[in-house]
Structures are given as C-alpha cells and as structure tokens.
Amino acid sequence: MVRIPELTDLAVVKFTCRCSSNTVLRSDGPDGLLVNAIGSYSGKRWINLEDGALTTQFEVEATGSWTLTIGSVDQMATKALSGKASGKGDNVIVLGGEASAVKITHSRGSSNFVVHAYSLETGEGGLLVNEIGGYSGVRPLTAPALVQVTADGNWTIAPA
C-alpha cells in the first residue's frame, strides 16, 4: 500500500514499472483499477474526476522496480495545444484548439482501446471509443478538453 495525502481534486498519476509479470495499480477511490498489464508499463491515468471523489492510497502489485508520481493536470498531463496528439499506450492529454469533432485512430494494438473526454469549458463528455484492436473514426468532442487514452498500440487524435 502506498498512502498519500487526501486528494479531493482531479489529479494525474504517472506509473512506470520495469516488471516481468502481471502489473497492477489500484486506487481506493472510485477510479479503482488503473493499470492491469503484463510486463513493463509506462503511462498516465486520471483520478478523482468525479465530484466528491477521494483517493487516499494505491495498491501496487508488481515484480520489478516501479515509480508512482501524482500531480495536478497542469503538472502531469501531456499538453497538445494545437488540438493534435499522438502517442503509444495510456496517457492523459489537455487537448487545445476549438474542435467540435476529432478523428481518432489506434493501430498496432490488439487489446482494449478506450478514449474518454471532457470539455474543459462545460465539463460535459464521457466515453468516446471502446473497441478491441485497431480503430479509426470521427467522434464528437468539444475542445479544449481533457482526454484519457487507454491503449496498447499507437494512437492519434486530431481535429476532424
């Protein structure tokens, strides 16, 4: 168990593990299971997105050395001020621009590909994509937005 000062605001967790078997990271807040991977892992996830959420500790199951870093969205999220982002694996992005729709792709991945997004102006949003393997499509998204990508492959997000 890793105990932390109470976090009642939205935060971003960066977890890196040089592991050889199952790697699990759980929050005691409503976010629950944040990482469940086989082998090495490096990625970002958000916690305490919901009002009234409270995270006080994390549970780590890992065989290998790992690092857990927690910070605000400003400190930890990847900035994509142009409204275009790309990467591999899990990430939390502040997506700039003025888009009302985005083209999202996922390639070279075989597991679950999930994208959640919330408008930074209205707070509205939710699940945009939940597919297995490759994906390409246009989804409504009001930018600027906070976006969380869960992926095992390469992904892109760009104004449509």
Side-chain angles (χ1 to χ4, degrees):
M1 290 290 174
V2 178
R3 295 192 186 281
I4 58 171
E6 289 185 0
L7 294 173
T8 56
D9 293 328
L10 175 64
V12 175
V13 173
K14 180 179 181 184
F15 184 69
T16 304
C17 184
R18 291 183 171 192
C19 298
S20 57
S21 61
N22 200 33
T23 303
V24 176
L25 175 66
R26 283 188 187 87
S27 156
D28 68 343
D31 307 291
L33 183 64
L34 299 173
V35 174
N36 187 9
I38 303 294
S40 293
Y41 174 88
S42 181
K44 296 178 186 176
R45 308 285 294 166
W46 63 38
I47 58 169
N48 294 343
L49 182 70
E50 300 173 20
D51 287 339
L54 178 65
T55 299
T56 62
Q57 65 187 15
F58 294 93
E59 179 182 346
V60 177
E61 295 175 27
T63 54
S65 60
W66 54 268
T67 305
L68 176 68
T69 308
I70 306 161
S72 70
V73 170
D74 285 342
Q75 294 169 324
M76 301 291 293
T78 301
K79 311 298 186 291
L81 302 180
S82 68
K84 295 180 182 179
S86 63
K88 180 177 181 178
D90 298 352
N91 206 342
V92 176
I93 305 111
V94 175
L95 195 67
E98 298 180 3
S100 59
V102 290
K103 179 171 184 176
I104 301 171
T105 65
H106 180 236
S107 62
R108 297 190 179 185
S110 59
S111 295
N112 212 17
F113 176 62
V114 181
V115 179
H116 289 90
Y118 292 89
S119 167
L120 291 174
E121 294 173 357
T122 66
E124 294 178 0
L127 181 65
L128 295 183
V129 178
N130 187 4
E131 297 288 336
I132 302 293
Y135 174 82
S136 180
V138 174
R139 302 292 299 144
L141 180 144
T142 303
L146 183 63
V147 179
Q148 178 172 265
V149 175
T150 305
D152 68 338
N154 300 321
W155 52 265
T156 62
I157 301 172

